Every structure is written in C-alpha cells, then in structure tokens.
C-alpha cells in the first residue's frame, strides 16, 4: 500500500522535481552502497526501497517522454 501512495506522490511532481528527486535518491544509493561495503549499514531494507523508488521515477519520466512525443502527432492528425 505504501508503494501506491509513493507512486501517487511522484505523479504530482513536475519533470524538474522528478529529476531532483532522482538525483537525491542516486546519492543516497551511493552512500548506502559504501555503508554496506564497510559494514556500517544498519537498515538493509533501505537499499531495496531506494532502488525501487529510482525505478518508479525512471518509469514516470519515460511515460512523460512518450506522452510528449505522441502529443505533436495527435495535434497533426487533428489538423
């Protein structure tokens, strides 16, 4: 249920906000990898959550790109 809520929150963000969130998650993922390698990682489930959030954002960005590309075609067909 939490993932659905997270996805709904992400859908409301603009393209720039999604990009900023993606950058922040990638930095967190990098830090988590270092913590795991040095044995300092306490919350191991966080790695999976961050990885899935990154995938959610990339999916939304892909959907937005496809929608933007198909939009001019729809306008040309109606004209």
């Amino acid at each position: 249920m939490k993932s659905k809520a997270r996805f709904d929150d992400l859908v409301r963000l603009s393209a720039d906000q999604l990009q900023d969130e993606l950058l922040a998650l990638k930095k967190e993922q990098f830090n988590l990898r270092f913590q795991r390698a040095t044995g300092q990682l306490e919350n191991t489930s966080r790695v999976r959550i961050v990885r899935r959030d990154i995938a959610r954002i990339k999916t939304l960005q892909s959907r937005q790109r496809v929608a933007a590309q198909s939009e001019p075609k729809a306008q040309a067909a109606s004209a």
Side-chain angles (χ1 to χ4, degrees):
M1 193 65 168
K2 287 184 181 181
S3 63
K4 176 67 174 158
R6 178 72 174 143
F7 189 77
D8 290 340
D9 290 341
L10 291 173
V11 168
R12 293 184 186 104
L13 298 178
S14 70
D16 289 336
Q17 291 171 324
L18 281 175
Q19 190 63 33
D20 292 342
E21 183 72 18
L22 180 62
L23 183 62
L25 285 170
K26 284 189 173 191
K27 286 180 182 179
E28 183 177 357
Q29 184 182 39
F30 179 79
N31 290 331
L32 289 172
R33 265 191 268 141
F34 265 89
Q35 288 177 11
R36 182 192 295 168
T38 60
Q40 297 175 348
L41 184 62
E42 294 177 9
N43 187 0
T44 57
S45 65
R46 185 69 186 147
V47 174
R48 187 174 106 187
I49 293 168
V50 169
R51 186 178 71 238
R52 289 183 178 183
D53 282 347
I54 289 172
R56 282 186 190 100
I57 290 174
K58 286 186 174 186
T59 299
L60 284 172
Q61 287 176 330
S62 176
R63 286 182 183 178
Q64 289 176 351
R65 271 194 307 275
V66 169
Q69 288 174 353
S70 64
E71 191 175 292
K73 292 177 185 176
Q75 290 177 354
S78 65

